[in-house]
Amino acid sequence: MPDTSDLPDRSRARRPVPKPGIMDIHAYVPGKAQAEGIAEPVKLSANENILGSSEKAREAYADAARQLHVYPDSRVSIVRDAIAGRYRLEPERLIFGCGSDEVFQLLNQTFLEPGDNMVQGEYAFAAFAIGARACQAEIRSAREPNYRIDVDELLKCVDDRTRLVFLANPGNPTGTWIPFSEVERLHAGLPPSVVLVLDGAYSEFATDPAFQDGLDFARSSENVVVTHTFSKLHGLAALRVGWGYAPAAIAAAVDRIRLPFNISIPAQLAAVAAIEDTGFQEHSIAHVEQWRPWLTQQIGGLGLEVVGPSATNFVLIGFPKAGKTAAAADEFLSARGLLTRRLLNYGMPDHLRLTIGLEAHNRAVVEALADFMKG
């Protein structure tokens, strides 16, 4: 019988034991999609494109039914070429994932090992930390005064074991953003060995001239990765297509661990059609620009805080510390078939996140919140 006295505890366990830290991870909590007693509630909890998706993308998806027996192109060539052409990028520097979530996970796997750390904002998108914790890395969350990224706070968290810094700009769930001059200052303060990941999931909705998504900056940087998704502006959340623009060396490293066939044929065809439909993109942005300030003004007029200004397709609503709570408001709205997003998993129990809806949805939310505040 072999001597097991020197083996780790996991090896002597009576059943398979996950590696340390896995069971301490809080699984991602999606926005709710159902309301008790309501057959078809209005889902304003997941920041989906309320206008749906491009008709051209839907047609391309339907045409893909003839190819369901075929493996997809692992290089995602048609999407790679379409993105490279649209944004003037080198095709070989593109990374593709099953949503930008997988791109984050791939970056974590590529760079993090036990003892390393990843730095993010206090209210960072939950997927950043989930992937890092799975790599047994330490998560360092920098304070976000007034729910806004603070570059100095991020830099305070960086040390010689930092491998990645994640920055969503604009942020989710806050909706706030920082000008690109601050992003450049952050980059200048990082050691060259640290990868700065700029998550641009909502960047198309940020129309202030001081905003940049970082693609141009990343062209000449050896440690900057910019990510985008087809889930928000393009309305392809169900198909899970995300991409990143990275230095050639990083893209090559990530491709060694990216699983084959991670973007399906229907998703690839729909993504290409979505890129080409600039009319749908412009309509989606115009809709958000019309109703974002209206919701901000109307909700603020009810005595509630609207964090911002938002640069996304949602607004973040703060509730008083006593009396009218976010939890009670969420229940009240749900009873009327209006679904919002609680943010307990982000440490924000006093806030609700609200996707900008169609005109009827937005007016219904304001009317319901007015009744809630008076009740």
Side-chain angles (χ1 to χ4, degrees):
M1 192 110 177
D3 180 8
T4 62
S5 60
D6 293 330
L7 293 177
D9 290 343
R10 291 172 66 213
S11 299
R12 297 198 301 269
R14 293 179 178 273
R15 62 181 185 278
V17 177
K19 65 184 180 182
I22 292 295
M23 299 310 296
D24 296 325
I25 296 174
H26 296 289
Y28 183 78
V29 179
K32 61 184 178 181
Q34 297 179 331
E36 186 176 353
I38 307 292
E40 296 184 8
V42 178
K43 187 182 177 188
L44 303 173
S45 59
N47 303 338
E48 295 151 340
N49 190 325
I50 202 66
L51 301 182
S53 54
S54 159
E55 182 178 352
K56 295 176 181 178
R58 296 196 301 271
E59 290 173 354
Y61 176 82
D63 288 344
R66 293 173 294 179
Q67 302 183 56
L68 298 186
H69 62 294
V70 179
Y71 282 111
D73 170 21
S74 183
R75 289 292 294 163
V76 202
S77 299
I78 59 172
V79 188
R80 186 181 299 272
D81 291 344
I83 290 173
R86 171 72 177 272
Y87 297 101
R88 297 178 297 107
L89 304 175
E90 307 91 326
E92 67 276 8
R93 291 178 59 177
L94 296 176
I95 301 167
F96 289 92
C98 183
S100 50
D101 298 5
E102 188 183 25
V103 177
F104 306 145
Q105 173 74 341
L106 289 167
L107 290 167
N108 280 320
Q109 287 182 268
T110 300
F111 289 101
L112 294 176
E113 61 184 28
D116 290 337
N117 68 72
M118 177 274 277
V119 174
Q120 62 177 15
E122 180 179 4
Y123 303 112
F125 179 45
F128 301 160
I130 290 174
R133 287 194 172 96
C135 297
Q136 296 180 277
E138 177 190 358
I139 311 302
R140 296 185 174 181
S141 298
R143 290 179 58 253
E144 291 189 41
N146 300 316
Y147 307 103
R148 191 179 304 277
I149 285 291
D150 185 304
V151 167
D152 294 314
E153 293 294 330
L154 285 172
L155 290 174
K156 287 178 186 178
C157 296
V158 174
D159 65 12
D160 59 358
R161 292 303 301 268
T162 303
R163 298 291 176 262
L164 293 163
V165 174
F166 281 95
L167 170 60
N169 195 34
N172 172 31
T174 63
T176 58
W177 62 284
I178 59 175
F180 201 73
S181 58
E182 283 294 280
V183 177
E184 291 177 306
R185 189 166 72 85
L186 170 62
H187 180 258
L190 295 175
S193 58
V194 174
V195 179
L196 174 60
V197 184
L198 302 177
D199 171 17
Y202 297 91
S203 61
E204 292 92 348
F205 299 109
T207 53
D208 190 288
F211 179 85
Q212 297 178 42
D213 66 358
L215 282 175
D216 286 335
F217 183 70
R219 293 178 196 277
S220 58
S221 299
E222 295 185 358
N223 64 335
V224 175
V225 178
V226 179
T227 67
H228 281 274
T229 180
F230 281 82
S231 296
K232 307 304 178 184
L233 174 66
H234 298 291
L236 299 182
L239 298 184
R240 314 307 302 128
V241 185
W243 61 276
Y245 177 59
I250 292 179
V254 168
D255 260 344
R256 281 161 171 75
I257 61 170
R258 180 178 64 89
L259 296 178
F261 318 124
N262 62 336
I263 310 295
S264 71
I265 289 175
Q268 292 188 36
L269 293 174
V272 171
I275 290 176
E276 295 172 350
D277 193 347
T278 56
F280 178 80
Q281 297 162 36
E282 292 167 358
H283 185 35
S284 297
I285 293 170
H287 179 80
V288 168
E289 288 188 313
Q290 176 184 357
W291 290 101
R292 186 168 59 195
W294 186 87
L295 278 169
T296 299
Q297 189 272 334
Q298 292 290 318
I299 295 172
L302 299 176
L304 297 169
E305 174 198 17
V306 181
V307 175
S310 172
T312 62
N313 67 339
F314 63 85
V315 294
L316 180 64
I317 307 169
F319 288 78
K321 296 295 184 183
K324 302 296 185 179
T325 66
D330 183 57
E331 291 184 9
F332 189 91
L333 292 167
S334 291
R336 294 196 177 189
L338 301 167
L339 304 182
T340 59
R341 179 71 143 85
R342 294 290 314 277
L343 298 169
L344 295 176
N345 58 320
Y346 285 95
M348 305 175 75
D350 302 318
H351 291 79
L352 293 179
R353 195 188 67 191
L354 172 72
T355 306
I356 295 166
L358 300 176
E359 177 177 0
H361 305 153
N362 299 331
R363 294 188 183 281
V365 168
V366 170
E367 180 181 349
L369 285 174
D371 291 344
F372 171 74
M373 294 301 289
K374 287 186 295 189

